[in-house]
Amino acid sequence: MLAFAIAFIGPGVLQPAPAAAADIVGERALTPNRTAITVTSPAMGRNIELQVLHPAGGGSRGTYYLLDGLDPGIGQSTWTNATDAEAFFRGKHVNVVLPMGGQASYYTDWIADDPRFGRYKWETFLTRELPGLIDARFDGNGVNAIGGLSMGGNAAYILAARNPGLYRAVAGYSACPDMGMAAGAMMFSITNRGGNPLNMWGAPGGPEWAAHDPAQLLDNLRGKALYMSTGTGIPGHHEAQLKPQLPENIVLGGPIEVGVNGCMASFGQRLAAAGIGADIDYHPVGTHSWGYWQDALHHSWPTIGPALGA
């Protein structure tokens, strides 16, 4: 895809025309507090679907970018499909931006197009193309926070560490922001979804991994409101409920949360050693599953909300 076109400026003079800008090309009100939008992304060369939770009335407000996990919801974010996020944010004076798509993307710019996933330039989209559009359409005041669960939580810390001027607060729900500890699981998760993990940042240990590692960019997190949460992998009150996902939550979600717990403890120690404060929510039970992420969303708001003025 050409990054720019050639325009004629006067007789015989050729100049590059400006590259196409991102734009909202579709919009549909779902409820008074929830709007679906379609944004064209020049970086990815396609349209991206999002939904925005917002107050029913006007007034300037901050924006919380809330990212999904490895397998984002279809038709809506899993945050609104599997948790009470829509009801929780109703009445709060904040925009909540919920991207859709990006399976196993880690919401980052991949160094190469992937045969399975195509072109992933999520960092460019989320940090450069989208914020101005959201602020203009939904009365954003330029004050932003970012959070996510699992893959999305890793991405939230990565994006905040790489774009420190953009976010005032960061939340990671069952996330592992230390790329040295997370690399193996990240590579496996991309392969498991049919992608080539080398197309993301190359081989682990290379320069792109270092450039995306919050554990090596700790100073960029200084002064922000930081929240992290983790269980221990031991089944808890959400496993006492009979539901179709119960076996998966225990058999897969338990061991995954054990790994997350160790990584988050290590990352928390790094923050403390650097003199960077963080609200780290350690729970004695809990698997890698949505019931606990809903709880964490609620628990995180006293940290995230004030940073947004909400």
Side-chain angles (χ1 to χ4, degrees):
M1 186 178 75
L2 292 175
F4 57 86
I6 298 298
F8 287 93
I9 310 295
V13 179
L14 291 175
Q15 295 250 355
D23 195 13
I24 296 175
V25 295
E27 179 176 323
R28 182 164 56 99
L30 303 176
T31 73
N33 297 92
R34 182 176 173 187
T35 299
I37 62 172
T38 302
V39 176
T40 181
S41 167
M44 285 197 268
R46 58 188 173 89
N47 291 341
I48 306 297
E49 304 294 330
L50 307 99
Q51 292 185 5
V52 182
L53 307 179
H54 52 82
S60 175
R61 62 252 187 185
T63 301
Y64 189 30
Y65 291 83
L66 190 54
L67 306 179
D68 219 323
L70 274 169
D71 300 299
I74 297 173
Q76 63 177 307
S77 165
T78 317
W79 278 108
T80 52
N81 185 46
T83 78
D84 67 351
E86 184 171 5
F88 177 71
F89 285 109
R90 191 178 297 125
K92 292 181 172 59
H93 199 63
V94 64
N95 298 320
V96 182
V97 177
L98 304 164
M100 291 183 285
Q103 183 187 43
S105 67
Y106 287 89
Y107 296 104
T108 191
D109 284 5
W110 287 34
I111 61 174
D113 293 352
D114 188 78
R116 167 71 174 83
F117 299 127
R119 177 161 298 168
Y120 273 166
K121 297 292 181 183
W122 280 96
E123 179 175 349
T124 297
F125 176 70
L126 290 170
T127 65
R128 293 168 178 79
E129 294 179 339
L130 186 61
L133 298 176
I134 294 296
D135 286 350
R137 170 60 186 84
F138 295 97
D139 295 326
N141 59 13
V143 176
N144 303 303
I146 189 166
L149 77 303
S150 192
M151 176 189 87
N154 286 22
Y157 270 84
I158 293 166
L159 292 171
R162 285 173 55 80
N163 302 273
L166 188 57
Y167 306 107
R168 292 192 184 179
V170 192
Y173 312 112
S174 293
C176 178
D178 184 328
M179 297 302 97
M181 298 184 71
M186 292 171 69
M187 298 281 283
F188 173 79
S189 67
I190 294 168
T191 301
N192 185 253
R193 269 69 178 180
N196 181 350
L198 297 179
N199 287 330
M200 186 171 71
W201 299 328
E208 286 299 318
W209 283 84
H212 290 81
D213 189 352
Q216 299 187 46
L217 301 169
L218 287 179
D219 273 346
N220 289 351
L221 299 174
R222 194 179 301 277
K224 301 185 187 305
L226 304 179
Y227 175 91
M228 293 185 290
S229 65
T230 177
T232 59
I234 298 171
H237 62 284
H238 287 297
E239 281 70 46
Q241 305 166 10
L242 291 177
K243 48 191 174 183
Q245 303 91 340
L246 183 59
E248 179 182 358
N249 290 353
I250 294 174
V251 174
L252 295 179
I256 291 173
E257 198 70 3
V258 170
V260 167
N261 184 279
C263 178
M264 193 169 290
S266 174
F267 190 74
Q269 290 168 2
R270 285 177 178 264
L271 289 172
I276 299 172
D279 178 8
I280 304 180
D281 227 345
Y282 293 106
H283 295 278
V285 298
T287 61
H288 204 71
S289 56
W290 277 102
Y292 298 101
W293 298 326
Q294 173 175 293
D295 293 345
L297 178 66
H298 288 232
H299 295 159
S300 70
W301 198 242
T303 299
I304 304 300
L308 286 169

